[in-house]
Amino acid sequence: MTDRLSSYKEQAYARGFAEHHSPKEANWSRAFFEVYPDLPRPERQARSFAYALEREPILIQPLSRIAGQIYQACPGAGCPERSGSPEHPDWADFSVSEDAVRRIADELPEAEFYNRFFGHGGFPGHICWDFGRMLELGVGGLLELCAENSVRSDDPKAREFYTCVEIALQGFLTWTDLHARPLEEMAATETDPGRREELRAMAATCARVPRQPCLTFREAIQAFWFQHLAVMYENPFGGNGPGRLDYYLWPYLERDLELGCTNLEEARELVTELFIDLHERIAPADGWVEALPVGGRHPDGSSAINPLSYIMIEVITELQQTHPSVYVRLPDDAPDDFVDLTVRYLIEGKNRAQVYGDDAVIAALHASGVSLEDARHWTAGGCMEVSPQGCNCDLLFSFAHNVPRTLELILNGGCLLQTGERVIARDKTLADYDSFEELYADFETELGRQLDLLMRQLDIWLESYARYRPSFLLSSMTYDCLERGRSINDGGARYTNYGGSGVGIPNVGDSLHSIKRTLFDEGRFTGQQILDALRSDFAGHEDMQTYLRSLPRYGADDEAPDSMVDRVLCTFTDCLRSHRTPHGGTAYPIILGFVWVVEHGKQVGATPDGRNAGRPFAHGLSPQSGSAVKGVTGAIQSATSLSLDRVSGGGAMMWDLDPTWATPEVVKPLLQTFIQQGGHIFQGNATSVDELIEAQGVMVHAQEADPAAEEVPLQRLPAEGEGHRPPQVAAHKG
């Protein structure tokens, strides 16, 4: 890293962790309720967005070569259209959450108990839009598309949509144009000749893009940055992110290289600054993940790995910062040196690396109904959820269902083990079953009932999003909104697919395997004995717990537990796939763990696999801690034996790699085996135990010195069921 970039990084980190307050909610509220109160609602929404964006502060940072910044993880930067705002009391009548909650209470009263114990879902975000079309056509080109489609349409609602998109795009241009004059003024007073010319070049770039099509790599980076800031301003939801940045930027860099206008080292410097800017914008929000998958394939099936793919992995490895999250799409025919770089990233990336088996993910997406070309052009949202870039509505990762809690209710007569509270009307317990298949059928039926209720709620959420949060700027870069004349959640998106995770599936599989073996196959314990042990959290039943823990579990390359986990996984995926959304979509299973492995684990009592009450669940489709008794290779055998072709949103597996043996010579064949056997997502954690203990000590010391420091993790992690949502406090502590 150059001295200039080192200084820029230091300054950017200081700015990012400083206290900020956004004028966004105040300006948006003023526009909606005071400036445009008499306009039709869609136009009122579009003009309020434009009004607020045009009044955002224009920030040109010292040493920067990429203009613009908007701080998001701070007070005042929320989304009034979704959650309302304290800036005006009447948002309750015009926000998604208020409308959806009211409608669900009126239309689905049976959802009250589900929501109380499982969460109602309905959280937006976790998608990537096709900003490449703006780079290629410019905003002017998008405006022309709107005008042409509007003239051809005889649909009043579509013409209204095009008008609103034009308003949003014009507001976006007004804001970007405001950056040119300050740059010219700075150049006029700059004494350093080199910096003066740099500022003039930046001003010329801001005057050209994104209004016009990009001609150079530098213009493409600036246009990308402007649109990213503006779309995230309109849609401030965690999990939204750039997506395939290397894919979209490479044609501009390739052309510049052919013309001799730049070189790879200059490109690396711009990428480094861009990554620092991405981090600065949301620095305090550790849980807010903006994903950037590199590599993969073109829609025609050819390899999309290019020099920028290498550069972006190298840069994030060097920076060692939280944002952006650079993921790797690793196709079967990836160049060997790209695989080597990915392995180095896994080992040195401090748990940042996440590697996808590209061809297995493509196959799963295609099997779910996504066209092959779109499936090859997949990207990942901020957790790891897979979807074709720029094609999906933004309820892509909208819930996380606690599957072990469903099983608990079946085993314990509809009541929670830890509190005894009744959740479902049911008297039958584990002691009343004569066969395992009878037990499984009841579990399957109840899981289907719960997920059907959740899906019907998501239908209501979708309609509320379409009405109260139209996201006209985002829609302009989402296929096929401009073609259909509808916004992203109103039938405009090519795929109106929901998505969500089943948390604790390995634990449910292990528990059912234990019940089948000990109760129905061996007759070692009665149903009542097992139930009594669960209700007492194994107190007084320690011998039973020891035996249950000694049984083979998922992750030991044993067919019986592995097949049971697969059965539970297929039950979950079948429940989701049976639903049809209002615009003909379906629901993606996205199997991951995130913070829910801890939070959901706290909600569930002891389980028949020998787990004590309140303990964390397995992460995604990884084996439960302590289950991989045949080592990581045996665990990978178990994990890749699952029906991953059904997990169209991606199946995550966390593999803890001891740094004392995690050398490239060991990790490379391990990763390649995982990919070759059809694994989806390899999350490699090479953080040493000593580092984790040290980090715990630092946190404990910080809490002792400042009791308020205890609040920091809660500010940085999303609330249960919310996915990656921005914290409301921007101050950095610790």
Side-chain angles (χ1 to χ4, degrees):
M1 189 183 302
T2 64
D3 291 341
R4 171 181 176 155
L5 282 172
S6 294
S7 297
Y8 184 75
K9 176 183 175 182
E10 183 178 349
Q11 294 171 13
Y13 283 17
R15 291 191 298 264
F17 285 111
E19 293 192 16
H20 299 280
H21 189 285
S22 173
K24 173 188 171 182
E25 290 181 40
N27 285 328
W28 202 307
S29 299
R30 184 178 304 114
F32 194 81
F33 293 107
E34 299 175 19
V35 182
Y36 305 115
D38 299 324
L39 292 178
R41 178 180 39 77
E43 184 176 349
R44 186 179 175 188
Q45 291 164 329
R47 292 199 180 278
S48 296
F49 159 73
Y51 179 97
L53 181 60
E54 290 167 9
R55 284 157 180 79
E56 273 296 303
I58 302 302
L59 301 176
I60 312 294
Q61 309 295 8
L63 302 179
S64 66
R65 288 180 291 180
I66 303 171
Q69 184 61 275
I70 295 178
Y71 297 108
Q72 197 156 333
C74 62
C79 181
E81 292 184 303
R82 187 207 179 270
S83 306
S85 171
E87 294 292 339
H88 202 286
D90 290 346
W91 275 118
D93 297 325
F94 295 96
S95 63
V96 172
S97 57
E98 295 284 348
D99 178 71
V101 169
R102 281 195 300 263
R103 285 190 55 195
I104 289 169
D106 292 341
E107 299 172 30
L108 293 173
E110 66 270 33
E112 176 188 359
F113 263 68
Y114 176 89
N115 294 341
R116 182 177 170 187
F117 297 103
F118 290 93
H120 53 65
F123 301 104
H126 301 268
I127 60 167
C128 309
W129 45 99
D130 188 356
F131 58 84
R133 186 149 71 161
M134 182 178 286
L135 303 188
E136 180 183 356
L137 301 178
V139 175
L142 294 180
L143 287 168
E144 289 178 7
L145 282 177
C146 283
E148 293 168 4
N149 289 333
S150 182
V151 168
R152 288 196 296 263
S153 177
D154 58 0
D155 178 359
K157 186 174 181 180
R159 290 199 299 270
E160 181 181 62
F161 168 76
Y162 294 127
T163 296
C164 292
V165 171
E166 290 171 357
I167 291 168
L169 289 172
Q170 290 290 359
F172 171 52
L173 282 181
T174 298
W175 176 71
T176 60
D177 288 346
L178 290 173
H179 290 75
R181 176 169 291 183
L183 286 163
E184 292 168 350
E185 293 172 349
M186 292 169 66
T189 59
E190 177 60 54
T191 57
D192 179 82
R195 179 59 175 166
R196 182 166 58 246
E197 289 306 309
E198 203 167 56
L199 290 167
R200 287 173 177 166
M202 290 171 67
T205 297
C206 292
R208 250 194 54 78
V209 298
R211 181 179 294 276
Q212 301 178 51
C214 298
L215 300 178
T216 67
F217 179 64
R218 187 180 289 266
E219 286 185 351
I221 280 194
Q222 182 64 69
F224 159 78
W225 181 234
F226 274 149
Q227 68 77 32
H228 184 72
L229 291 174
V231 175
M232 292 301 296
Y233 182 85
E234 181 189 50
N235 305 273
F237 309 117
N240 285 345
R244 305 188 69 187
L245 192 60
D246 62 329
Y247 172 89
Y248 286 112
L249 292 183
W250 169 242
Y252 300 95
L253 178 56
E254 184 179 33
R255 185 188 311 155
D256 283 0
L257 293 171
E258 290 173 353
L259 295 174
C261 300
T262 190
N263 55 56
L264 289 178
E265 192 53 44
E266 290 179 1
R268 181 188 301 272
E269 291 181 13
L270 281 174
V271 168
T272 302
E273 181 176 331
L274 178 64
F275 280 16
I276 293 170
D277 290 341
L278 282 163
H279 182 69
E280 177 187 343
R281 188 179 71 83
I282 50 174
D286 290 356
W288 189 325
V289 185
E290 295 188 355
L292 198 161
V294 300
R297 296 195 180 280
H298 290 285
D300 66 4
S302 60
S303 175
I305 298 170
N306 62 63
L308 272 179
S309 311
Y310 291 78
I311 287 173
M312 289 180 180
I313 296 175
E314 292 166 351
V315 167
I316 198 63
T317 303
E318 180 183 15
L319 286 173
Q320 298 280 294
Q321 63 188 29
T322 307
H323 315 285
S325 289
V326 177
Y327 301 158
V328 183
R329 289 182 51 176
L330 203 61
D332 292 343
D333 57 355
D336 199 55
D337 63 340
F338 190 70
V339 179
D340 289 337
L341 179 61
T342 301
V343 169
R344 182 165 70 86
Y345 182 33
L346 275 170
I347 296 171
E348 301 176 9
K350 298 293 184 183
N351 203 20
R352 290 174 177 83
Q354 184 164 284
V355 184
Y356 289 75
D358 194 50
D359 294 307
V361 169
I362 290 170
L365 261 181
H366 185 42
S368 74
V370 174
S371 75
L372 185 56
E373 292 77 13
D374 288 344
R376 289 168 176 157
H377 189 43
W378 69 264
T379 186
C383 282
M384 56 204 64
E385 50 286 334
V386 168
S387 70
Q389 179 142 359
C391 293
N392 208 82
C393 78
D394 71 344
L395 285 180
L396 179 64
F397 185 34
S398 55
F399 70 90
H401 183 81
N402 190 336
V403 184
R405 174 164 269 189
T406 301
L407 179 61
E408 176 177 286
L409 296 175
I410 295 298
L411 301 181
N412 196 39
C415 298
L416 300 178
L417 282 169
Q418 296 187 90
T419 66
E421 190 170 5
R422 180 164 297 281
V423 178
I424 59 176
R426 171 183 171 83
D427 296 323
K428 196 172 186 178
T429 71
L430 179 60
D432 301 315
Y433 284 97
D434 295 323
S435 73
F436 176 78
E437 289 305 320
E438 182 187 0
L439 168 65
Y440 195 91
D442 280 1
F443 163 72
E444 189 173 44
T445 298
E446 178 58 21
L447 182 63
R449 185 193 72 82
Q450 292 173 359
L451 292 177
D452 176 70
L453 189 57
L454 175 59
M455 294 299 106
R456 286 189 285 150
Q457 291 185 82
L458 292 182
D459 291 343
I460 293 174
W461 279 99
L462 183 75
E463 293 172 1
S464 293
Y465 278 115
R467 180 174 176 81
Y468 291 108
R469 191 186 65 85
S471 299
F472 293 115
L473 182 60
L474 173 63
S475 296
S476 75
M477 290 179 276
T478 301
Y479 298 105
D480 297 304
C481 293
L482 292 185
E483 290 75 12
R484 296 174 177 174
R486 294 292 188 273
S487 64
I488 182 172
N489 294 316
D490 194 26
R494 184 172 296 174
Y495 303 104
T496 307
N497 294 328
Y498 305 151
S501 183
V503 178
I505 286 175
N507 302 86
V508 173
D510 283 339
S511 295
L512 288 170
H513 169 254
S514 296
I515 291 172
K516 182 177 184 299
R517 177 163 170 170
T518 61
L519 172 58
F520 297 106
D521 294 347
E522 298 176 350
R524 178 180 289 268
F525 309 118
T526 67
Q528 189 61 53
Q529 286 173 328
I530 297 174
L531 189 57
D532 289 343
L534 299 181
R535 287 171 172 171
S536 68
D537 196 17
F538 293 108
H541 301 270
E542 288 79 7
D543 289 345
M544 179 191 292
Q545 184 178 31
T546 299
Y547 181 76
L548 293 174
R549 288 180 171 178
S550 73
L551 295 176
R553 290 191 282 183
Y554 167 69
D557 194 16
D558 187 294
E559 183 179 357
D562 292 354
S563 63
M564 188 65 74
V565 170
D566 192 53
R567 185 176 183 181
V568 176
L569 173 65
C570 291
T571 295
F572 179 80
T573 61
D574 286 346
C575 289
L576 295 192
R577 291 164 64 176
S578 66
H579 184 75
R580 285 294 173 267
T581 68
H583 302 293
T586 183
Y588 287 149
I590 303 167
I591 311 300
L592 51 81
F594 191 48
V595 297
W596 297 296
V597 300
V598 176
E599 293 303 316
H600 285 187
K602 291 178 180 178
Q603 299 168 5
V604 174
T607 46
D609 56 355
R611 169 191 156 277
N612 282 110
R615 298 298 299 163
F617 295 142
H619 175 87
L621 291 176
S622 307
Q624 178 66 26
S625 178
S627 299
V629 295
K630 293 186 179 179
V632 67
T633 53
I636 286 177
Q637 284 290 116
S638 292
T640 55
S641 73
L642 301 177
S643 300
L644 297 177
D645 57 318
R646 293 169 172 258
V647 188
S648 46
M653 302 168 188
M654 174 68 78
W655 306 110
D656 293 321
L657 308 175
D658 189 332
T660 61
W661 59 257
T663 63
E665 293 75 20
V666 173
V667 175
K668 183 176 181 180
L670 193 68
L671 176 62
Q672 289 176 315
T673 299
F674 177 84
I675 300 295
Q676 290 163 4
Q677 293 190 180
H680 278 192
I681 306 172
F682 189 108
Q683 293 180 290
N685 175 23
T687 306
S688 71
V689 174
D690 289 341
E691 286 182 274
L692 294 173
I693 293 174
E694 181 182 357
Q696 282 185 319
V698 170
M699 180 58 73
V700 169
H701 178 73
Q703 291 173 355
E704 290 173 347
D706 177 10
E710 293 179 334
E711 301 173 3
V712 172
L714 297 179
Q715 293 168 358
R716 294 179 179 175
L717 297 178
E720 177 191 341
E722 294 190 4
H724 296 306
R725 295 186 63 203
Q728 295 302 307
V729 180
H732 173 63
K733 298 180 180 180

